[in-house]
Amino acid sequence: VDRSDSSPSPSSRITHHARLGQIGAARKYFDDLPVKTIASWNSLVSCYFANGRPTEARNLFDEMPERSTVSWNALISGYVKNGMIAEARKAFDEMPHRNVVSWTSMLRGHVEGGSLSEAQALFRRMPHKNVVSWTVMLGGLIDHGRIRDAENLYRQMPAKDAVAETSMICGLCSDGRVDEAREIFDGMRFRSVVSWTSMISGYTHNGKVDVARKLFEVMPERNEVTWTAMLTGYAQCGRTDEAWRLFNAMEVESPVASSAMILALGENGDVSRARDVFDLTADKDEGTWSAMIKTYERKGYETEALSLFRDMQQQAEWTATTTTVKPNFPSLISALAVCASLASLDPGKQIHGRILRSGLDGDVFLSSVLTTMYMKCGDVAKAGIVFEAYRGERDAAMWNAMITGYAQHGLGDEALRVFDRMPSSRIQPDSVTFVGILSACSYSGKVDEGRAIFATMKPKYGIEPSTEHYACLVDLLGRAGLLNEALQTINGMPVEADAIVWGSLMGACRSHVNSDMGEVAADRLLRLEPHNAGPFVLLSHIYASKGRWGDVARLRRNMRNHRITKSPGCSWIEVDKRVHMFTGGESRPHPEHEQIVRKWDELNSMIKEEGYRPDGAFALHDVDEEEKVQNLRNHSEKLAVAYGIMKLVPRGAAVIRVMKNLRVCGDCHSAIKLVSKVIGREIVLRDANRFHHFKDGSCSCKDFWIDSPPFASIPGVIMSVHRAQVVLLWNHMESRTAVVDLEVEWTIRPVLRSNFQISSPSAPPSPDFKNNNNE
């Protein structure tokens, strides 16, 4: 073959195929070469490594008739790029001759693998060091937060290039020492766009946005990272309007900048404008999709987030030949969080399948999110399978996911068994763990066990009980009827009791109809949170159950005078990917309301034969018995269950899954238990406090449903799930510090405005506490 001087070499052609992912073409070209040089062998080895096929790369390396130091360096570098540090070190130790590139490649491997002590030992042994070696070691120290050590190393460097200077700027800024970073920046002989951007980012991360903007304005050239750094700076300090003006001033709006703008607008609550930015971004990458999904999920637009995730999946399938758009970790976590919040099990299973096909099931974060998703969707068995199948080292968040999940299902024994296994895994319980295990004891009536665990927190585990832990203990005692001991616990707290603690006592007073102590707790609650409807609602229930209708009327007047409204009761069920909403009463009925009521009447007749009698004590209005029965008949959870029985054909005894934003009432609890018996199907109801698994006439809560408000809810009324544990695992992934917020208010609006083609009206009624059938 006649090759001119301008023809690409065999090595270049192989490298070209590798960059395009055309491994087969690269191998065919290599096999057809009449003469195979060491360079061509080296290129093909690197090709396999670059495309994630280290085994083939090693096999090819072993076939080489001769090897040079460059060959060994390619092997070490390839292993490092594939995260195979042990294999890289073995090759490094075996190679006959090493040069500075060999040492630096291995040094980089230890730094990127997190083995800083190994990196330092290797660095000290290096016979010769170049500026790259020094810079790699410097970066390792900075990445591990050892800024003082990095400073000392920086001073020792015989020569410093722009990369080393920029690394030191980043390190000092991360330590809050922006003035010292600026001294290095001002002394640089050559400043790249990376150096300018690092200094600007340092200012924005330390709250000096205006100084950053001045530097931004005098930059000789900017890239998309610079614009994004400035946008993010404005967003972090809440100056969204300035971020928006800067965004509109960009000559070319890159996906990176669009993602930053979407997140900024979302954090400021401007979700509509964030969506406009997303729609107008021409070249969306996975970061753009993830930013919009994350914004939807964090701002309570759960169904929109799930719908957008589906669109992202379809986009990935349409562009299967590229890797520009595909569900990534953040989008997967957000989508699973939404499935957990809406208790949408089928979409959650589909996402789980995608994770398995992508080989991501070995990631501890995703496994934790999956565990929580299954728990929130009521599939305890599947959550246990995910947890037990994980073969890596479980972190505290994953153990907490199981413990808190069992707590919500009232499975105290199972939660205690998982808690007892933690020490053997070398993971110590943290503050969140104790919130979960104390709640498990509370929900399952394990008073002695809960007391004992609380008593060991400080002496055995070194964890000072917080107000959340005291709230759990008060809740535990209150549910068991030990109200005086609960009050003594509050009075003996080392810190001032907050609304959560008093809310736990208030709920216990409601459960055990103690109006005197309930009035004391309500008074303290109203001082702490004067605009919270919870104390009014619970105190009204106490008065109503004692027939004190005058006091009930007085509370309602106070609520109206102070413009305090109560969250409307609603339940929903997903049927064929459509969410059907039911609200108490008949003000805005479901399109099939008449058929649903007839179905419930049919069920009502069947359960009456099993001994059911409507309990008027849960129709807390001063009306006659007939009207009380009518009110009970229209409770939203009964209508949702009836609809599920109508529509969900029992394929393999399919489980009926219903969600409710408030606590299930006692009459509905009794009725649904018997319904599960007469129809021979399991019914899972997730209410504001916990899960109820109804089967064969029994409930998993063992009729321990009369309980006080959850430990982490706004006192008095409802438990939250909108920012549940799953959601905060996103933050855990980014910061490695997870605070598990188990219960924050259910969001009704997104469900009503869902992309699931909701059958109910576009907005729930806003009933006051008088006409809402006690829901």
Side-chain angles (χ1 to χ4, degrees), residues 17-18 20-28 44 47-48 50-53:
H17 286 304
L20 297 176
Q22 300 169 348
I23 304 176
R27 183 59 192 252
K28 184 177 186 306
L44 190 58
C47 170
Y48 279 121
N51 286 275
R53 296 168 67 170

Side-chain angles (χ1 to χ4, degrees), residues 442-661:
S442 179
Y443 287 165
S444 54
K446 296 184 177 297
V447 178
D448 293 337
E449 292 89 338
R451 279 196 190 114
I453 289 171
F454 185 87
T456 63
M457 286 182 62
K458 177 67 175 175
K460 185 175 180 179
Y461 299 101
I463 296 175
E464 192 73 45
S466 65
T467 53
E468 287 81 7
H469 300 113
Y470 276 101
C472 291
L473 183 60
V474 170
D475 190 49
L476 172 75
L477 298 170
R479 290 173 193 259
L482 303 172
L483 298 182
N484 290 329
E485 186 178 345
L487 184 58
Q488 289 170 8
T489 299
I490 294 175
N491 292 333
M493 286 176 59
V495 294
E496 187 73 20
D498 61 10
I500 298 173
V501 178
W502 286 108
S504 295
L505 182 63
M506 180 77 194
C509 292
R510 186 262 191 225
S511 299
H512 297 284
V513 200
N514 188 321
S515 56
D516 294 335
M517 194 178 293
E519 288 172 348
V520 172
D523 178 67
R524 297 301 296 269
L525 273 171
L526 292 172
R527 290 184 196 177
L528 293 167
E529 295 185 342
H531 299 291
N532 183 9
F536 289 99
V537 174
L538 290 178
L539 195 55
S540 173
H541 284 187
I542 294 172
Y543 289 153
S545 62
K546 287 194 167 188
R548 296 168 59 177
W549 301 111
D551 291 326
V552 172
R554 175 177 55 80
L555 286 175
R556 290 175 183 160
R557 283 195 301 273
N558 288 341
M559 288 183 71
R560 284 194 293 270
N561 292 340
H562 291 88
R563 296 183 179 179
I564 297 171
T565 58
K566 171 183 175 289
S567 298
C570 64
S571 300
W572 62 93
I573 185 171
E574 184 179 341
V575 177
D576 295 330
K577 297 184 180 180
R578 298 176 67 190
V579 174
H580 297 263
M581 175 72 67
F582 302 88
T583 56
E586 302 179 25
S587 56
R588 297 195 183 189
H590 187 278
E592 298 180 69
H593 180 74
E594 292 184 5
Q595 299 96 305
I596 295 168
V597 170
R598 281 200 299 270
K599 184 63 177 179
W600 180 255
D601 288 341
E602 176 189 329
L603 294 168
N604 195 47
S605 299
M606 296 169 67
I607 61 178
K608 280 184 177 179
E609 293 180 6
E610 297 291 330
Y612 167 71
R613 294 293 178 268
D615 190 346
F618 292 95
L620 303 177
H621 298 293
D622 190 13
V623 295
D624 60 33
E625 289 301 315
E626 184 177 347
E627 189 172 347
K628 286 183 179 181
V629 170
Q630 181 66 20
N631 287 341
L632 292 172
R633 173 200 192 200
N634 288 320
H635 276 194
S636 62
E637 56 265 58
K638 289 177 180 172
L639 300 178
V641 167
Y643 188 75
I645 294 170
M646 285 170 53
K647 297 295 183 179
L648 296 174
V649 179
R651 296 182 294 270
V655 176
I656 297 168
R657 301 178 189 276
V658 173
M659 284 63 70
K660 181 174 170 65
N661 69 324

Side-chain angles (χ1 to χ4, degrees), residues 100-122:
V100 69
V101 176
S102 317
W103 286 89
T104 303
S105 296
M106 195 62 248
L107 180 69
R108 189 185 303 277
H110 284 309
V111 166
E112 292 179 357
S115 304
L116 195 61
S117 58
E118 293 281 348
Q120 288 180 292
L122 193 70

Side-chain angles (χ1 to χ4, degrees), residues 244 247 258 261-262 265 273-281:
W244 179 250
F247 179 73
S258 295
M261 196 66 243
I262 289 167
L265 292 167
R273 197 153 46 145
R275 181 60 195 247
D276 290 341
V277 172
F278 175 81
D279 290 337
L280 293 172
T281 302

Side-chain angles (χ1 to χ4, degrees), residues 499-500 502-504 506-507 510 525 529 531-539 541 559 564-569 660-664 687-689 707-720 743-746 769 772 774-775:
I500 298 173
W502 286 108
S504 295
M506 180 77 194
R510 186 262 191 225
L525 273 171
E529 295 185 342
H531 299 291
N532 183 9
F536 289 99
V537 174
L538 290 178
L539 195 55
H541 284 187
M559 288 183 71
I564 297 171
T565 58
K566 171 183 175 289
S567 298
K660 181 174 170 65
N661 69 324
L662 304 181
R663 191 187 65 170
V664 60
D687 74 1
N689 280 15
D707 44 20
S708 53
F711 54 86
S713 67
I714 303 299
V717 211
I718 55 181
M719 153 189 178
S720 69
E743 330 200 354
V744 193
E745 183 177 43
W746 277 101
F769 161 52
N772 192 36
N774 316 306
E775 289 208 276

